[in-house]
C-alpha cells in the first residue's frame, strides 16, 4: 500500500469511527432496528406507537445516524398546517421567495422526516402525506406547481401515543393503513437498568432501585396517575443523582412532580420513595 492509499485508508477509517461515535445510544428491545432497516431499504413509511418517554424519538435518531441519513424532526401540534410542512412564499428584500418546509427539505435531501405525535396535527394536514406513503412517493407542491419525486433515500416516520387517543385525535384509517407499524413499550427491568447505567453512569444497585420505583408507579396509571413514569424520567433522575443531587430530591424532581399536581398523590408517591430508599445512601456513580 503506497503512502496516498494508506492515508486514504486511515482517513476513511477515522471517518467511520467518528460516524459510529456519533450514533445516539439506543438499547434495542426486540427486532425494531431490523424492521426499521427493512422499511428503509424497501422505501416503506413507518408508524411508531408507544407511551410517552419510552424511546421512540431516540430510536429514530439512532437509526437515522446508523443509516447516515439527515434527520428532520417536526413536533406536531393543533395549529400545524400543510403549509408548515410543505412550505410557503415569504416576502423579503422587496420580493417574494419560496421557502421549503421541513417535509419538502427532507424529500429534496433524501433524508428521514420524523413527525412526532402525528395525531396532534389537524386531519386536513395529514392528507398531504398520502402521495408520499403509497407507490407514487411524490410530494405535490400546489403553490409552486412542482411535483417532487422522493429519492430512494427518503423515509417518512411518524409516531404517536395511543394513550392520548380519543374521537377527536386519532389517525384516519385511510392514513394509518399506509404505514408499517411498530408497537413500543417500556423495556423490561433488566434492559431499563442497563439504559440508566449507560446514560447516567450510575451503578447497578441504584439503577435497580430506580427501576423498581418506576414499576410501582406504573401500576398506578389510570388510578392515581394519568401517565406512567417513563424511562426518560428515570434517566433524568439518574443524571441528577450522578451529578450529586440527594436521591430523594432527585426522585421528587424527576419522578413525582412531573407526573401529578395533586398534593395528596404527591405525598403518597414521596412516601413510597422514602420507604424505598430508607435502607441507606447509595453511590451515585459507578466506580
Amino acid at each position: 500500500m503506497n503512502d496516498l492509499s494508506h492515508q486514504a485508508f486511515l482517513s476513511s477509517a477515522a471517518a467511520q469511527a467518528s460516524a459510529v461515535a456519533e450514533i445516539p445510544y439506543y438499547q434495542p428491545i426486540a427486532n425494531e432496528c431490523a424492521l426499521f432497516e427493512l422499511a428503509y431499504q424497501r422505501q416503506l413509511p413507518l408508524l411508531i406507537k408507544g407511551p410517552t418517554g419510552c424511546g421512540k424519538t431516540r430510536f429514530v435518531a439512532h437509526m437515522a445516524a446508523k443509516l447516515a441519513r439527515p434527520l428532520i424532526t417536526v413536533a406536531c401540534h393543533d395549529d400545524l398546517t400543510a403549509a408548515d410542512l410543505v412550505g410557503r412564499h415569504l416576502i423579503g428584500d422587496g420580493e417574494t421567495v419560496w421557502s421549503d418546509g421541513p417535509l419538502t427539505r427532507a424529500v429534496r435531501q433524501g433524508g428521514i422526516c420524523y413527525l412526532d405525535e402525528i395525531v396532534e396535527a389537524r386531519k386536513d394536514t395529514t392528507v398531504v402525506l398520502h402521495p408520499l406513503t403509497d407507490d407514487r412517493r411524490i410530494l405535490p407542491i400546489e403553490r409552486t406547481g412542482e411535483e417532487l419525486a422522493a429519492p430512494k433515500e427518503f423515509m417518512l416516520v411518524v409516531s404517536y401515543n395511543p394513550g392520548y387517543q380519543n374521537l377527536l385525535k386519532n389517525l384516519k384509517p385511510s392514513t394509518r393503513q399506509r404505514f408499517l407499524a411498530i408497537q413500543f413499550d417500556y423495556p423490561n427491568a433488566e434492559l431499563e437498568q442497563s439504559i440508566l447505567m449507560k446514560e447516567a453512569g450510575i451503578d447497578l444497585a441504584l439503577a435497580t432501585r430506580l427501576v423498581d420505583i418506576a414499576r410501582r408507579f406504573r401500576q398506578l396509571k389510570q388510578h392515581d396517575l394519568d401517565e406512567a413514569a417513563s424511562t426518560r424520567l428515570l434517566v433524568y433522575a439518574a443524571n441528577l443523582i450522578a451529578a450529586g443531587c440527594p436521591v430523594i430530591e432527585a426522585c421528587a424532581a424527576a419522578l413525582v412532580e412531573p407526573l401529578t399536581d395533586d398534593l395528596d398523590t404527591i405525598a403518597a408517591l414521596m412516601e413510597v420513595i422514602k420507604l424505598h430508599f430508607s435502607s441507606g445512601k447509595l453511590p451515585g456513580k459507578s466506580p
Side-chain angles (χ1 to χ4, degrees):
M1 182 181 293
N2 60 37
D3 290 343
L4 289 178
S5 298
H6 183 63
Q7 185 177 0
F9 172 79
L10 292 177
S11 298
S12 176
Q16 291 177 5
S18 176
V20 171
E22 293 172 0
I23 295 178
Y25 169 74
Y26 174 76
Q27 175 63 58
I29 297 176
N31 64 340
E32 65 271 24
C33 293
L35 282 172
F36 192 106
E37 288 198 46
L38 289 174
Y40 174 77
Q41 292 169 9
R42 291 292 177 171
Q43 301 171 34
L44 301 173
L46 183 64
L47 165 64
I48 303 172
K49 305 181 291 181
T52 298
C54 68
K56 300 188 296 294
T57 299
R58 175 65 68 86
F59 168 62
V60 177
H62 171 84
M63 293 306 302
K66 185 177 179 181
L67 294 168
R69 302 313 309 155
L71 174 63
I72 296 178
T73 300
V74 178
C76 298
H77 53 81
D78 291 337
D79 296 325
L80 186 73
T81 67
D84 292 327
L85 287 178
V86 177
R88 52 171 51 89
H89 285 101
L90 302 176
I91 299 176
D93 295 330
E95 62 178 356
T96 301
V97 296
W98 173 258
S99 176
D100 283 342
L103 180 60
T104 305
R105 291 200 305 273
V107 173
R108 292 193 197 276
Q109 296 174 12
I112 295 175
C113 184
Y114 174 47
L115 305 182
D116 188 21
E117 292 298 340
I118 186 65
V119 294
E120 297 294 331
R122 293 168 15 182
K123 290 186 177 181
D124 60 335
T125 299
T126 57
V127 174
V128 76
L129 304 178
H130 287 190
L132 277 171
T133 52
D134 57 30
D135 58 348
R136 291 173 292 175
R137 281 178 57 89
I138 60 172
L139 178 62
I141 305 178
E142 296 181 2
R143 297 188 181 185
T144 65
E146 285 184 271
E147 187 175 274
L148 295 181
K152 61 183 180 62
E153 296 86 2
F154 169 78
M155 183 177 184
L156 179 64
V157 183
V158 303
S159 72
Y160 74 94
N161 180 354
Y164 290 153
Q165 282 188 276
N166 55 47
L167 292 176
L168 297 178
K169 291 186 176 182
N170 195 355
L171 281 181
K172 295 167 58 177
S174 60
T175 301
R176 287 174 62 101
Q177 293 190 31
R178 292 170 179 272
F179 291 84
L180 297 177
I182 300 178
Q183 178 71 52
F184 269 44
D185 203 347
Y186 300 121
N188 62 40
E190 184 178 348
L191 285 178
E192 203 159 36
Q193 292 160 11
S194 174
I195 290 169
L196 298 188
M197 294 167 67
K198 174 69 175 181
E199 292 275 9
I202 62 174
D203 64 15
L204 178 59
L206 177 56
T208 300
R209 292 202 182 189
L210 289 173
V211 168
D212 188 51
I213 287 175
R215 293 186 175 274
R216 290 172 187 265
F217 285 5
R218 287 167 189 166
Q219 294 174 357
L220 300 175
K221 186 183 177 183
Q222 298 178 344
H223 295 284
D224 297 308
L225 297 175
D226 293 329
E227 190 58 79
S230 67
T231 303
R232 179 192 296 128
L233 290 182
L234 280 179
V235 171
Y236 288 171
N239 272 298
L240 283 177
I241 296 169
C245 183
V247 173
I248 302 301
E249 292 181 22
C251 290
L255 295 178
V256 176
E257 295 292 348
L259 295 179
T260 181
D261 293 324
D262 183 79
L263 295 180
D264 291 336
T265 303
I266 289 174
L269 296 180
M270 288 303 303
E271 191 63 26
V272 171
I273 288 173
K274 290 175 182 176
L275 288 173
H276 205 69
F277 285 103
S278 62
S279 61
K281 295 183 178 180
L282 288 170
K285 293 186 177 181
S286 301

